Amino acid sequence: MSSTKNPAVVNYSEQKHSVEIREIPVPEIGEEDILLEVENVGVCGSDLHQWTSDHSWPVNYPVVLGHEFGGKIAALGSRVSGWKVGARVVSETAAVIDTQNPMSKVGLYNLDPTRKGFGYGVNGAMTRFVRVPARCLHTVPENLSFEEACLTEPCCVAYNSVVGNSSIKPGDRVIVIGPGTIGILCAAMARLCGAEVAILGLEGDRGRLEIAKNAYGCSVLIGEEMAETWARKRDGLGADLIIDAAGHSATLQIAMKLVRPNGQITKVGWGPQPCNFSLDPIVQKNIRLQGSFSHNWPIWERVIALLASGALNVKPIIGGVWPITEWHEAFEKMHTGQVVKSVLKPV
């Protein structure tokens, strides 16, 4: 370890734009932890929400941001077995869980109400070294670069929302609302399931929508009118599944309009704002409204297999790699929609 302190991207208070580079010491690890030397860390929409202070979850300030990461094991805790120093790994996000919680006991520790994640509950990976519980680790195959592997986490969010929490069959018509990372990856997952997929955004989203079209074979929809035409094209009734991946409550109203009777809406995007509209169409249309949050161990194993085999290619959504010290440009480019996904590299 070259120095005792390393630059980190720290979110230090609830005030808007309270993010800066701070020098932090190499973390001390417990007996069941490993010390991970970070190779790459993805910028998530939730990192941006904490930066602009429009998030809807509790944050332990000050905290190092970053929960989409991979790297090499630098040190092992005394009780860690099955791992070696130098191993290539990615880490899940559930940094703190209660193993006695009923959700954890059935393997759904992502739904443990006391769960704390990297980047808001404990220090995350936008720095050179991060402390990680060994239970969070998964092996990264040699043929998968860390730039791609650090996107395992958002791919797992998409896998859980599309495959785990939605009913989807080949030939279904699916509309994804919101062309951010999660929206585009949900669209890619729905395509892997054999669905016809369209992705809905605004005029300003055209660049990101084109990536969804060219890389993943999705139809591009700009504005509600175009979306309604596409939804009703087959038999006039609407799309089988709407995946709401926009970070606003209001898009649920659009989803209710576009979904067919007896269809499903899966909501994966967060938004703290109140709805201010009636949910009656859910009753009238006999709709299943499903939330989808996070992921667990078997989903990670499956997604890594998809990435390693080339069945799922995340390269098209990576808009660039920035050194951690240039985090502001990386955040800004993502925040303004110039790129789908920014990736950082420790210095």
Side-chain angles (χ1 to χ4, degrees):
M1 289 164 223
S2 56
S3 68
T4 51
K5 292 205 165 184
N6 295 287
V9 182
V10 176
N11 183 194
Y12 57 86
S13 92
E14 207 168 326
Q15 298 300 310
K16 204 173 169 70
H17 298 141
S18 296
V19 173
E20 67 184 13
I21 291 283
R22 290 186 178 178
E23 294 280 326
I24 65 161
V26 175
E28 289 181 17
I29 61 168
E31 51 187 18
E32 294 184 353
D33 300 325
I34 62 104
L35 185 68
L36 187 75
E37 183 162 15
V38 180
E39 285 281 343
N40 286 107
V41 52
V43 180
C44 174
S46 61
D47 296 314
L48 301 181
H49 285 309
Q50 282 178 225
W51 172 50
T52 55
S53 201
D54 55 5
H55 56 287
S56 49
W57 51 89
V59 177
N60 286 337
Y61 301 103
V63 71
V64 179
L65 292 173
H67 61 266
E68 304 175 359
F69 62 99
K72 292 176 181 161
I73 296 177
L76 302 168
S78 58
R79 291 179 57 191
V80 173
S81 60
W83 295 103
K84 291 192 172 79
V85 168
R88 305 173 84 243
V89 293
V90 284
S91 169
E92 293 188 35
T93 53
V96 180
I97 57 169
D98 173 6
T99 54
Q100 298 308 305
N101 186 276
M103 287 288 108
S104 300
K105 286 190 166 187
V106 296
L108 295 174
Y109 49 84
N110 53 310
L111 303 180
D112 166 9
T114 66
R115 166 195 181 277
K116 288 186 175 68
F118 292 105
Y120 70 89
V122 303
N123 279 341
M126 288 187 186
T127 185
R128 191 161 164 218
F129 293 100
V130 60
R131 165 188 166 168
V132 178
R135 63 172 169 78
C136 291
L137 300 177
H138 295 265
T139 298
V140 175
E142 288 294 335
N143 68 325
L144 189 60
S145 75
F146 278 115
E147 283 174 21
E148 297 163 79
C150 77
L151 301 196
T152 305
E153 196 275 340
C155 292
C156 289
V157 171
Y159 187 96
N160 196 27
S161 58
V162 175
V163 183
N165 284 316
S166 302
S167 166
I168 188 167
K169 298 182 289 300
D172 278 355
R173 281 169 82 77
V174 176
I175 294 178
V176 178
I177 303 175
T181 302
I182 299 300
I184 292 178
L185 290 173
C186 283
M189 286 291 175
R191 291 281 293 139
L192 282 177
C193 294
E196 282 183 59
V197 182
I199 188 158
L200 170 61
L202 304 167
E203 187 58 54
D205 297 324
R206 205 175 272 279
R208 296 186 297 174
L209 290 165
E210 285 300 314
I211 291 170
K213 178 183 173 182
N214 297 330
Y216 304 111
C218 302
S219 298
V220 167
L221 306 173
I222 292 177
E224 269 183 74
E225 200 175 312
M226 200 173 172
E228 203 153 353
T229 304
W230 193 90
R232 298 183 189 285
K233 188 175 175 186
R234 194 180 282 173
D235 62 4
L237 289 177
D240 299 283
L241 170 67
I242 312 292
I243 298 168
D244 184 353
H248 303 281
S249 303
T251 46
L252 181 58
Q253 192 166 26
I254 301 169
M256 291 189 302
K257 194 187 291 182
L258 299 177
V259 71
R260 70 193 289 104
N262 207 38
Q264 179 173 340
I265 297 168
T266 301
K267 190 145 179 52
V268 65
W270 294 73
Q273 315 87 348
C275 282
N276 298 325
F277 52 80
S278 168
L279 299 181
D280 282 356
I282 288 172
V283 181
Q284 189 181 15
K285 285 181 162 184
N286 205 81
I287 300 307
R288 292 183 304 289
L289 176 59
Q290 172 77 44
S292 187
F293 178 72
S294 192
H295 29 66
N296 62 358
W297 197 89
I299 293 172
W300 277 72
E301 287 293 297
R302 182 56 54 96
V303 166
I304 291 166
L306 286 170
L307 290 167
S309 71
L312 177 62
N313 178 14
V314 291
K315 285 181 197 161
I317 66 168
I318 299 172
V321 181
W322 286 264
I324 268 175
T325 44
E326 291 173 31
W327 69 271
H328 192 273
E329 185 186 335
F331 276 38
E332 197 66 53
K333 281 234 188 312
M334 229 174 114
H335 185 58
T336 54
Q338 293 173 64
V339 300
V340 176
K341 173 64 74 176
S342 296
V343 172
L344 298 177
K345 190 158 181 63
V347 291

